[in-house]
Amino acid sequence: MSLAKFFPMIVFMGVMLLLDLYIYQAVKVVSDSFSAQAAKWIKGVYWAFSFLCLGSVVLLATADPLWVAKNRQPFLTVMSITYFSKMIGSLFLVLDDVLRGVRWMTQFLQSSSELSGSGESTSPIKESVSQGISRGEFLSKAGLVGVGVPVATMSFGIISGAHDYRVRKKTIVLKNLPPAFDGIKVAQLSDIHTGSFFNKTAVKGGVEMLMAEKPDMVFFTGDLVNNEAREAREYVPIFEKVKADLGVYSVMGNHDYGDYHRWASPKAKQENLKALHTAHHEMGWDLLLDENRTIQVDGAEVGVIGVQNWGTGGFAQYGNLEKAYRGMEEAEAKILLSHDPSHWDAQVRPAYGAIDLTLSGHTHGFQFGVEIGDFRWSPAQWRYKQWADLYQEKDQYLYVNRGFGYIGYPGRIGILPEITILELKREQA
């Protein structure tokens, strides 16, 4: 095979090796304080693991594509955690190098000044070198701590956070809700991403948590898979257990269209899309493709509108809200399922003021952040104005689910997977 095809891989491995070498300087400084035998083992384990990571890059680039598609997640996870952590640790070593450079320049200038004068070199220079060695050892240790903390945190986020499902409950008062629907319990799931799961038992437990809430209706707001319909196959028996007296309704998310996968042909991509639609139907979920449904209770009606993915900032805009809304004019209250929360400000609020409640997902809350009481922070807020929980503008509401699953990093830190339970109440006159 041509060198050009492997050139990006070679460059990537070169960057990895340089980072390995840089962090090794700190490993060497710290390990030399142990016994000779212990230092030898520490250095050996360090390089053995580094070469395993480098070998994994070669394996993923040269192995059978089908095998890679099924098995790459563990390799990518380990490498991502390892080298992200090394990048954090390297910041301390860069500081050490900068301080050494400044100290060397200061000593050089002092030496030049003393050579041009009549005095001899003074002891403060020697003292500075001694202090510098101590500082270097400290920063080397700080660098290794800088590596260790992200590794420990991200590992904990996988082991503990990935499937630490939280039931989040909210009461929403809707001005137009019919009396017959007062107190109805609505559940929302979003961003399941079956292709990322590694613990089927835990996923089953999450579904059981949902059903224990006995919702009257369930809404799924997109991203059942990462890329391919086959990812959902082994989870159909689990998610078909999601039932509700008034139905389970679903829409498509940006990942469901297979846009991030290299297909053999346009036909293969289209067949994958059809297979995913079939998976929704096999689970008993009513998939709304720019469609709507009328839910009736004691003669009163609530409209459920489902639009295909419609996002801003480069995300696909497959949805047609005008088509999806058609026929809903007479519904007393209207609930919209739209995967991407940016749709709310872009189209829903400006043009569809009669939509009372929009349910979205998509952001995952970045799978990282801090939530303490009413305080919440996540890098997701740098990209999305509405990124988690409940938002209100006049009489319209938006709820953004934090996601049931995960993608990329197979864990969560601070922003835990969510099962949403919304109690809808009628506004009292």
Side-chain angles (χ1 to χ4, degrees):
M1 303 181 77
S2 65
L3 179 63
K5 181 176 181 179
F6 289 103
F7 182 73
M9 179 191 75
I10 295 170
V11 172
F12 182 65
M13 291 177 65
V15 173
M16 290 172 64
L17 185 57
L18 287 174
L19 198 53
D20 288 332
L21 288 167
Y22 200 49
I23 295 297
Y24 177 69
Q25 305 309 309
V27 173
K28 188 175 183 300
V29 168
V30 174
S31 64
D32 284 346
S33 63
F34 293 88
S35 68
Q37 187 66 21
K40 183 178 179 180
W41 273 101
I42 292 170
K43 295 171 185 176
V45 169
Y46 176 85
W47 280 114
F49 187 74
S50 295
F51 284 123
L52 280 174
C53 288
L54 292 168
S56 297
V57 175
V58 176
L59 177 65
L60 294 178
T62 58
D64 177 72
L66 290 176
W67 183 90
V68 171
K70 293 179 181 179
N71 299 282
R72 65 186 170 192
Q73 186 66 44
F75 292 95
L76 293 177
T77 298
V78 171
M79 286 191 290
S80 297
I81 292 175
T82 299
Y83 286 92
F84 172 77
S85 300
K86 286 183 177 181
M87 288 176 63
I88 298 298
S90 69
L91 297 178
F92 293 93
L93 304 186
V94 168
L95 176 61
D96 183 32
D97 287 341
V98 169
L99 292 175
R100 288 178 184 273
V102 170
R103 186 174 65 251
W104 180 87
M105 181 61 69
T106 301
Q107 293 173 358
F108 175 78
L109 293 175
Q110 286 179 344
S111 298
S112 299
S113 175
E114 290 165 356
L115 287 173
S116 62
S118 57
E120 296 181 354
S121 296
T122 58
S123 59
I125 295 179
K126 185 175 181 180
E127 181 182 352
S128 175
V129 173
S130 176
Q131 291 176 346
I133 293 173
S134 176
R135 184 186 298 115
E137 290 176 353
F138 169 78
L139 290 173
S140 292
K141 291 178 180 179
L144 293 185
V145 171
V147 173
V149 169
V151 167
T153 302
M154 296 177 77
S155 298
F156 181 78
I158 295 172
I159 297 169
S160 176
H163 301 103
D164 188 8
Y165 302 109
R166 299 299 172 94
V167 176
R168 294 185 177 271
K169 298 182 179 182
K170 292 284 183 180
T171 298
I172 302 178
V173 179
L174 299 182
K175 181 179 180 181
N176 300 315
L177 190 70
F181 285 85
D182 188 31
I184 194 169
K185 188 183 291 187
V186 169
Q188 182 194 4
L189 291 176
S190 194
D191 301 88
I192 289 175
H193 290 286
T194 51
S196 296
F197 286 147
F198 59 86
N199 188 336
K200 189 181 291 186
T201 300
V203 174
K204 182 180 178 182
V207 170
E208 291 171 350
M209 289 176 65
L210 166 63
M211 296 312 300
E213 296 296 324
K214 302 186 185 315
D216 299 300
M217 282 192 291
V218 179
F219 299 123
F220 172 66
T221 47
D223 280 358
L224 180 62
V225 298
N226 295 344
N227 295 294
E228 301 178 73
R230 64 172 181 79
E231 298 166 12
R233 179 53 45 203
E234 62 181 302
Y235 288 93
V236 167
I238 293 178
F239 287 103
E240 71 179 3
K241 298 294 192 299
V242 176
K243 305 288 185 183
D245 290 342
L246 297 180
V248 181
Y249 305 90
S250 60
V251 293
M252 303 279 282
N254 56 301
H255 280 269
D256 293 323
Y257 297 89
D259 290 343
Y260 313 124
H261 182 74
R262 184 177 297 176
W263 298 98
S265 66
K267 181 181 178 181
K269 182 180 180 181
Q270 188 62 32
E271 289 176 348
N272 178 77
L273 190 62
K274 291 179 180 178
L276 188 61
H277 292 174
T278 299
H280 281 254
H281 297 314
E282 288 177 350
M283 292 186 296
W285 297 5
D286 189 355
L287 179 61
L288 305 181
L289 302 171
D290 297 334
E291 300 171 275
N292 59 67
R293 301 287 185 266
T294 300
I295 313 301
Q296 295 187 346
V297 173
D298 296 335
E301 296 182 348
V302 166
V304 175
I305 305 162
V307 68
Q308 296 191 72
N309 190 75
W310 197 103
T312 60
F315 287 101
Q317 297 182 352
Y318 291 105
N320 185 331
L321 184 52
E322 180 182 1
K323 177 184 175 184
Y325 188 84
R326 200 172 296 142
M328 285 283 99
E329 292 81 6
E330 301 303 318
E332 296 177 70
K334 303 170 183 65
I335 300 172
L336 171 67
L337 312 182
S338 181
H339 178 69
D340 192 319
S342 64
H343 195 194
W344 197 54
D345 277 339
Q347 273 196 343
V348 179
R349 288 202 309 109
Y352 295 87
I355 293 177
D356 301 277
L357 172 63
T358 299
L359 301 178
S360 299
H362 181 60
T363 72
H364 297 211
F366 202 73
Q367 298 171 209
F368 173 81
V370 177
E371 292 197 80
I372 303 174
D374 292 331
F375 173 80
R376 67 177 63 93
W377 175 90
S378 167
Q381 67 194 54
W382 300 336
R383 172 65 176 83
Y384 293 96
K385 180 181 177 182
Q386 298 92 11
W387 61 274
D389 222 88
L390 186 64
Y391 302 85
Q392 179 182 6
E393 290 289 344
K394 297 182 180 178
D395 293 327
Q396 291 184 285
Y397 291 88
L398 166 69
Y399 192 91
V400 184
N401 181 285
R402 295 161 179 81
F404 186 86
Y406 40 83
I407 191 170
Y409 168 59
R412 286 174 175 264
I413 301 170
I415 307 295
L416 298 174
E418 175 176 358
I419 298 164
T420 307
I421 301 295
L422 304 175
E423 183 182 13
L424 305 185
K425 299 291 290 183
R426 175 180 170 82
E427 184 177 81
Q428 300 300 314

